[in-house]
Amino acid sequence: MNDMFREDRPAEGTPKVVDVPSLAPDLAARHEPFPLTDVQKAYWIGRSGTFDLGHIGCHVYLEVKLAAHDSERLQAAWQMLIEHHDMLRAIVREDGRQQILVEVPRYKIEHRDLGSAEAASARAEVEAIRQRMSHQVFRPDRWPLFEVRTTELDSGTLLHLSIDLLFIDFWSIQLLVKEYMQLVSDPDPYLPPLDLSFRDYVLFTARQRESSAY
């Protein structure tokens, strides 16, 4: 056979050793700084104003209409999500590395009651909230990188959510909202504990790139 097409294989009975890194939680180092991904770096640098088309925060603003409103339950449900998901407690340090904070202040959802306001006045105030929250540029070194508030209208409660895409993507936002609605409606809310963190995944992919298997 022509050497060009020869496939070198280990001798019969010789195992082929492949360096394959494993993905496992590192709970002891969970709050140690770790690198940004390439996409995160782009979002972080782009908002700085260094570039002509910069000084814009990549984020999502959305509104959810709720048929009924219980401020204590809305507050408690969001607090559970903050405590459950590490990246809702994350910041970007000045050295360009991200970090999951061990503790953060209890988040307070601001509420505005417009249930008895005139229709035109209520619409104007909701539009003002919408314009402000949909054009936010969060500071990545300051927690939180999101804002949640509610507005009481004669038709029900309007939930406003503005969240930075540095630490969450659009698919994850859909999951987050789904979990939030479940927690709000469940009289005995519960989320199963998470062992793996985003930090574990980022460092795992870095080890993958350095492996012989890669």
Side-chain angles (χ1 to χ4, degrees), residues 64-75 77 111 149-159 180-181 183-186:
V64 180
K65 289 185 178 181
L66 306 175
H69 164 251
D70 183 333
S71 58
E72 291 186 4
R73 182 165 289 185
L74 290 174
Q75 184 75 55
H111 179 68
R149 62 176 296 154
T150 53
T151 303
E152 191 71 25
L153 303 171
D154 58 1
S155 58
T157 302
L158 187 62
L159 174 73
Y180 187 54
M181 293 299 101
L183 292 174
V184 169
S185 61
D186 192 339

Side-chain angles (χ1 to χ4, degrees), residues 1-167:
M1 180 183 292
N2 191 314
D3 287 346
M4 182 182 297
F5 301 104
R6 188 183 64 207
E7 181 181 357
D8 292 325
R9 296 175 179 172
E12 191 70 25
T14 302
K16 186 176 181 180
V17 178
V18 179
D19 175 23
V20 180
S22 60
L23 174 58
D26 186 356
L27 299 178
R30 195 162 203 147
H31 303 289
E32 295 296 319
F34 61 104
L36 296 169
T37 67
D38 290 343
V39 172
Q40 287 178 304
K41 287 178 184 176
Y43 289 169
W44 179 58
I45 295 172
R47 78 184 58 211
S48 65
T50 304
F51 303 98
D52 291 340
L53 299 179
H55 200 58
I56 295 175
C58 291
H59 84 293
V60 165
Y61 170 75
L62 57 87
E63 297 174 354
V64 180
K65 289 185 178 181
L66 306 175
H69 164 251
D70 183 333
S71 58
E72 291 186 4
R73 182 165 289 185
L74 290 174
Q75 184 75 55
W78 188 256
Q79 190 63 37
M80 284 187 68
L81 290 175
I82 292 174
E83 295 169 2
H84 184 69
H85 293 291
D86 285 351
M87 298 310 289
L88 288 180
R89 305 189 309 276
I91 61 167
V92 179
R93 297 155 42 106
E94 291 184 358
D95 62 4
R97 293 184 295 167
Q98 56 191 320
Q99 186 172 22
I100 300 164
L101 301 177
V102 179
E103 294 181 353
V104 294
R106 188 169 183 82
Y107 188 81
K108 179 173 177 54
I109 297 177
E110 186 175 344
H111 179 68
R112 181 78 171 106
D113 190 352
L114 299 176
S116 58
E118 294 184 0
S121 176
R123 283 196 301 269
E125 190 154 346
V126 168
E127 183 60 29
I129 294 172
R130 183 177 294 139
Q131 286 298 315
R132 181 186 63 79
M133 292 184 65
S134 62
H135 292 79
Q136 285 176 298
V137 181
F138 292 98
R139 282 196 55 172
D141 61 338
R142 291 186 181 178
W143 185 88
L145 274 80
F146 58 79
E147 181 181 356
V148 184
R149 62 176 296 154
T150 53
T151 303
E152 191 71 25
L153 303 171
D154 58 1
S155 58
T157 302
L158 187 62
L159 174 73
H160 310 264
L161 173 61
S162 177
I163 188 164
D164 203 296
L165 292 179
L166 260 175
F167 301 129

